[in-house]
Amino acid sequence: MSFPGKGLLKGLAVTMRTMTKRSVTAHYPDALPELPPRSRGVIALIEENCTVCMLCARECPAWCIYIDSHKDTIPATTEGGRDKSRNVLDRFAIDFSICMYCSICVEVCPFDALHWSPEFEYAELDIRELTHEKERLREWMWTVPAPAALDEGAEPAKEITTAQKAAERQGRPTP
Amino acid sequence: MTVVEVLFLLLGLVAAGSALLVVTTRTMVHAALWLVVTLGAVAGIFLLLAAEFVAWVQILIYVGAVVVLLLFALMLTKAPTGPQPDLDARRALPAVAVAGLVLAVLGTTVVAGFHGVELDLDGAVVGSAQTTGATIFQQWVLPFEVLSVLLLAALVGAIVLSRGTGRRGGE
Amino acid sequence: MAELVEVLLRVAVVLLAFLVVPLLVGQVEHKAMAHMQSRVGPMYAGGFHGWAQLVADGVKFVQKEDVVPAAADRTVFKMAPAVALLPYLVAMVAIPIGPGLVGQDLDIGLFFVVAVMGVGVVGTLMGGWSSANKFSLLGGIRVAAQLMAYELPFVLAAASVAMAAGTLSLTGIVEAWNPWWLLWQAPAALVFFVAGLAELQRPPFDIPVADAELVFGPYTEYGGLRFALFILAEYAGIVVLSALTAVLFLGGWHGPWEDQVGWLWTLAKTGLVAFVVVWVRVAYPRLREDQLQRLAWQGLVPLVLFQLAVTAIGVVVMSS
Amino acid sequence: MADYYTAYLPLLAILALGVGLVVAMFTSNRLLRPTHRTAEKMLTYECGVDPVGEGWAQSHVRYYVYAYLYVIFAVDAVFLFPWATVFGGLGWISVGEMGVFIGFIAVGLVYAWRKGVLTWT
């Protein structure tokens, strides 16, 4: 059945029906949100894994990663050998006031030095405080959850298969 | 002097003073806003004279419609803030002459029409909506009908003027 | 002397209502609109479901800096919010909520309220012009265009109910009211409500403050307390419009046990209409300028002229 | 007549109270507010961009016809109110009189409609 003003009444009915239903609002901070795995809260850094390859800083579209480093020479361990040089990380900082959470740095890191942590409550009153130095980035690492379990029947990670093969070659029983 | 007379005088002063400001201010929109004050004071005078209905017509039509019309016109054209030096007084003399003439005609008419009539402050309200309605629709029906023709003429004239010249091919 | 005290008492009550009822409407809007959009709205201020949100807002507004743009016309800019607000306060005096429960019953009450309500728009126009801002000016022009389109059906709808009652006194109109007016005066009630919404620039007639194109129309440059006064004027306008609709078309204090709780009926009906104002805001999208003008001149004006004819015939038939 | 003047007393009172209210609000605002004027803050707001040109522009005057239409109809409408209070007693003749009056104006509305003035372009 159609009559003039039907659409107008329909509009009113929809809003009224919605009003009588329970709202979907999550009552943060009274109730903490249930974040999905791999939520992009804050970027954590494992300093030991970083080789100062600068890939993350270069790929960052917002230019929010600051890295300072110097070269260290490691004296040769054998007589007449050559000295080795090694990059030492002096400063690693991410300015979260600029970061747009694109995750490119985490993706490009070849040594798994960067990880996403779901923590998101790091608002500050001073914008300068949003630049997290490497100590603070290291602290976030403790909040990074363990990787989700693989799907059933999935191929195990490449690292694990290589490790297993190496162990087999040495005749050790595989776990 | 009674309170009513004092108020009447005060409102008259406000009306006359703001009317002077309307014509002397150099900011166009200020002139329109001073006109609001003038019209409001005149409405107050009507109220004091027991012309209740006319007083609120004054507010509804003049403040609510004519002033809005004026402001609308000023905003459609260019009306910047601050004084405008080109609003000069070259035509002040003829304007004063015309205004004086209008004052003379209106004054004579009012005096001739109402000379000696006194408002009886103890009697019934003479300007209520009922009495106004009864007077119009029992004694002054013809002028009332003529008024509708006048309004129609004004309406048609405005439409013709706004569409006659200028861009016709637009539509 | 006792009379003077009584006058002052009535006026004080009106002032109190003016300060409280618009806030209630505002709070209802906050919460009802939120739930209509599956949100919860303010939850913290005051503890219980954010009941004190608007009080908190007021406290905040009073403490805010008073910014007048350098290019603005200072005097006009500063006066505009007061000019927009005070007419609604004055209009409230004449609205009765029960027999004798009125700030002042005027013989010409209906006409008085309609006339005074039209003055508020001058304040908005003053703000729009004096801000020296393109958005404000465009908003001001739209306010004027909208007022001029909708004031006429508004006044004519009011005239229809005055004709039906044969008086302009608001108390007299409620006394003359009869349940069958709900049918007889239905077109006038509709026109009155819709035109009133448009005059208050409430959605869906909020094109003067259309945020996507004009920021906040005439109020763009306003902040702090002056902004708050404009918003208060809007909500006071809703209260006056709702109360008038309730008194003119819904029978005011008529209802069961009207001798004892008549005033409650008026308040309940006013609240109901105010809720519809909020409801309509959530349900409908904004009208375009040409739709706005078409609705007024080709929809509401012919409809209300038809209603006038019906009312006139009805009254004469019934009185003869 | 004495009643007439006292009827407007509350109006005067509420107007005075209202003005007092606004004054009180702004006085407390003056006492509580900070004042920190900077040139940027006083700039006209144009979405964060420096203002271009003046704040006043010209529009087409044909919108003015709407305004004119409104004033004429408003003048017309106010006559309905005194009529509303008396026509019940005067009967059909009075309705006829008002019918003629409204009829003339309605002709104007139809004329405007036919001329396309009422379509907003």
Side-chain angles (χ1 to χ4, degrees):
Chain A
M1 201 181 85
S2 169
F3 52 91
K6 189 185 176 196
L8 295 176
L9 289 179
K10 242 188 196 166
L12 288 177
V14 166
T15 41
M16 184 49 85
R17 245 194 331 267
T18 316
M19 194 175 87
T20 54
K21 282 187 198 141
R22 220 179 154 67
S23 71
V24 295
T25 306
H27 288 260
Y28 177 82
D30 293 335
L32 289 177
E34 273 184 42
L35 294 171
R38 287 190 280 174
S39 293
R40 299 178 187 181
V42 67
I43 297 168
L45 167 76
I46 310 180
E47 208 187 317
E48 298 89 323
N49 283 2
C50 179
T51 62
V52 200
C53 67
M54 302 293 283
L55 276 177
C56 52
R58 259 186 266 165
E59 293 294 328
C60 177
W63 295 84
C64 69
I65 303 182
Y66 310 111
I67 299 177
D68 287 338
S69 67
H70 67 271
K71 279 208 190 312
D72 222 6
T73 40
I74 304 170
T77 43
T78 51
E79 198 69 32
R82 249 203 285 167
D83 289 353
K84 272 192 195 161
S85 75
R86 185 177 72 102
N87 288 324
V88 179
L89 189 62
D90 295 328
R91 178 178 188 227
F92 192 105
I94 298 179
D95 187 348
F96 284 104
S97 66
I98 311 176
C99 175
M100 57 188 201
Y101 302 86
C102 66
S103 194
I104 289 179
C105 54
V106 178
E107 301 295 332
V108 299
C109 182
F111 302 106
D112 284 350
L114 295 172
H115 296 270
W116 277 114
S117 154
E119 292 293 317
F120 60 92
E121 294 172 309
Y122 51 94
E124 301 284 355
L125 291 175
D126 187 338
I127 195 168
R128 285 166 293 190
E129 304 280 308
L130 277 172
T131 307
H132 294 189
E133 295 295 335
K134 67 176 185 219
E135 291 75 24
R136 194 147 178 221
L137 293 173
R138 185 68 180 85
E139 286 301 308
W140 289 126
M141 199 56 217
W142 306 120
T143 62
V144 175
L150 292 174
D151 287 346
E152 219 165 301
E155 228 175 81
K158 216 164 74 188
E159 296 91 330
I160 295 180
T161 33
T162 15
Q164 272 174 345
K165 273 182 193 152
E168 274 166 28
R169 250 180 273 128
Q170 291 176 2
R172 263 184 266 154
T174 50
Chain B
M1 281 216 293
T2 61
V3 180
V4 173
E5 281 168 338
V6 172
L7 283 174
F8 188 92
L9 261 180
L10 283 178
L11 283 172
L13 281 178
V14 170
S18 54
L20 261 180
L21 283 166
V22 171
V23 289
T24 52
T25 180
R26 287 197 175 270
T27 315
M28 300 249 285
V29 175
H30 286 188
L33 294 175
W34 280 118
L35 194 60
V36 174
V37 178
T38 311
L39 296 171
V42 172
I45 289 175
F46 279 136
L47 262 188
L48 287 176
L49 291 177
E52 195 181 20
F53 182 70
V54 181
W56 295 111
V57 166
Q58 178 87 4
I59 297 288
L60 182 78
I61 298 294
Y62 282 91
V63 178
V66 172
V67 168
V68 172
L69 179 93
L70 280 178
L71 285 174
F72 188 58
L74 289 180
M75 292 203 294
L76 281 179
T77 55
K78 231 171 174 180
T81 53
Q84 284 167 288
D86 52 332
L87 284 180
D88 58 14
R90 259 185 299 134
R91 287 183 213 86
L93 272 182
V96 168
V98 170
L101 214 64
V102 171
L103 179 70
V105 170
L106 283 179
T108 324
T109 316
V110 171
V111 170
F114 298 98
H115 182 65
V117 177
E118 276 191 18
L119 186 59
D120 181 14
L121 288 181
D122 299 318
V125 182
V126 292
S128 69
Q130 278 95 334
T131 44
T132 312
T135 323
I136 292 178
F137 293 99
Q138 286 173 339
Q139 295 174 20
W140 305 101
V141 178
L142 192 62
F144 169 73
E145 300 291 357
V146 170
L147 176 70
S148 71
V149 181
L150 176 73
L151 288 174
L152 179 65
L155 180 64
V156 173
I159 293 172
V160 168
L161 276 181
S162 73
R163 305 180 66 80
T165 55
R167 20 169 299 150
R168 164 153 271 172
E171 277 75 34
Chain C
M1 198 59 215
E3 276 175 16
L4 196 68
V5 170
E6 200 202 319
V7 164
L8 283 179
L9 200 69
R10 282 168 186 266
V11 166
V13 170
V14 171
L15 187 71
L16 197 70
F18 178 75
L19 289 175
V20 173
V21 184
L23 293 194
L24 282 178
V25 174
Q27 187 67 17
V28 166
E29 174 163 81
H30 265 323
K31 295 305 275 190
M33 187 162 77
H35 282 282
M36 283 175 179
Q37 297 168 339
S38 268
R39 301 182 286 118
V40 289
M43 285 300 278
Y44 281 86
F48 179 74
H49 285 264
W51 67 270
Q53 181 61 45
L54 290 168
V55 180
D57 281 347
V59 171
K60 180 191 72 174
F61 278 129
V62 163
Q63 299 175 59
K64 289 186 83 168
E65 188 178 352
D66 183 29
V67 178
V68 181
D73 186 312
R74 291 186 71 85
T75 332
V76 180
F77 185 86
K78 287 185 159 184
M79 269 170 50
V83 176
L85 180 67
L86 290 181
Y88 293 114
L89 173 64
V90 175
M92 264 190 179
V93 176
I95 300 177
I97 59 165
L101 285 175
V102 53
Q104 176 62 49
D105 188 34
L106 293 174
D107 281 343
I108 202 166
L110 175 64
F111 195 72
F112 161 77
V113 173
V114 168
V116 167
M117 274 178 84
V119 177
V121 76
V122 174
T124 313
L125 290 181
M126 282 165 73
W129 172 77
S130 67
S131 298
N133 180 313
K134 297 182 190 76
F135 298 124
S136 303
L137 185 75
L138 279 173
I141 290 176
R142 287 184 183 184
V143 168
Q146 189 161 315
L147 174 92
M148 287 183 297
Y150 284 88
E151 176 84 1
L152 179 68
F154 188 72
V155 172
L156 289 179
S160 168
V161 82
M163 282 158 62
T167 173
L168 294 182
S169 153
L170 288 170
T171 314
I173 289 173
V174 179
E175 270 156 13
W177 188 83
N178 188 312
W180 94 280
W181 282 28
L182 286 176
L183 192 69
W184 183 33
Q185 296 295 327
L190 184 77
V191 170
F192 187 83
F193 181 69
V194 172
L197 276 186
E199 245 180 77
L200 298 174
Q201 300 145 37
R202 288 286 302 176
F205 304 103
D206 61 337
I207 187 160
V209 294
D211 54 336
E213 32 190 303
L214 288 185
V215 189
F216 203 37
Y219 319 122
T220 302
E221 292 288 358
Y222 282 92
L225 193 56
R226 291 179 208 283
F227 177 82
L229 289 195
F230 270 126
I231 299 297
L232 183 61
E234 179 179 339
Y235 287 94
I238 295 177
V239 172
V240 171
L241 174 70
S242 309
L244 270 182
T245 312
V247 165
L248 295 180
F249 297 101
L250 304 180
W253 54 84
H254 288 306
W257 307 289
E258 60 185 273
D259 292 334
Q260 287 88 41
V261 293
W263 58 277
L264 261 180
W265 278 111
T266 315
L267 290 185
K269 288 170 182 172
T270 306
L272 195 75
V273 179
F275 177 77
V276 174
V277 172
V278 174
W279 191 7
V280 163
R281 168 179 181 175
V282 184
Y284 300 139
R286 184 180 301 137
L287 262 70
R288 223 169 42 220
E289 183 67 46
D290 61 324
Q291 294 169 331
L292 202 78
Q293 300 290 343
R294 188 141 32 106
L295 176 64
W297 290 107
Q298 302 180 8
L300 297 186
V301 171
L303 180 64
V304 78
L305 286 177
F306 168 74
Q307 166 75 72
L308 287 178
V310 171
T311 311
I313 294 169
V315 169
V316 176
V317 166
M318 274 189 292
S319 67
S320 59
Chain D
M1 273 309 269
D3 286 352
Y4 169 77
Y5 286 118
T6 46
Y8 280 96
L9 203 61
L11 246 60
L12 215 60
I14 199 82
L15 202 62
L17 265 182
V19 172
L21 178 78
V22 171
V23 169
M25 277 177 172
F26 279 105
T27 313
S28 52
N29 183 228
R30 194 179 293 273
L31 296 174
L32 292 169
R33 74 188 174 206
T35 305
H36 184 68
R37 291 169 61 98
T38 57
E40 285 86 4
K41 199 190 289 175
M42 298 300 147
L43 216 57
T44 301
Y45 177 75
E46 253 168 51
C47 299
V49 189
D50 285 347
V52 181
E54 273 190 330
W56 292 273
Q58 272 172 310
S59 312
H60 201 287
V61 78
R62 68 167 173 265
Y63 301 121
Y64 198 58
V65 182
Y66 278 91
Y68 206 72
L69 215 62
Y70 163 55
V71 172
I72 285 172
F73 277 104
V75 171
D76 164 37
V78 293
F79 282 99
L80 281 171
F81 286 90
W83 179 67
T85 59
V86 294
F87 86 104
L90 297 179
W92 288 111
I93 298 169
S94 180
V95 173
E97 287 163 10
M98 188 45 95
V100 171
F101 184 79
I102 299 274
F104 269 109
I105 310 289
V107 167
L109 183 68
V110 171
Y111 176 76
W113 195 332
R114 295 283 297 159
K115 279 280 170 184
V117 175
L118 300 182
T119 31
W120 188 273
T121 45

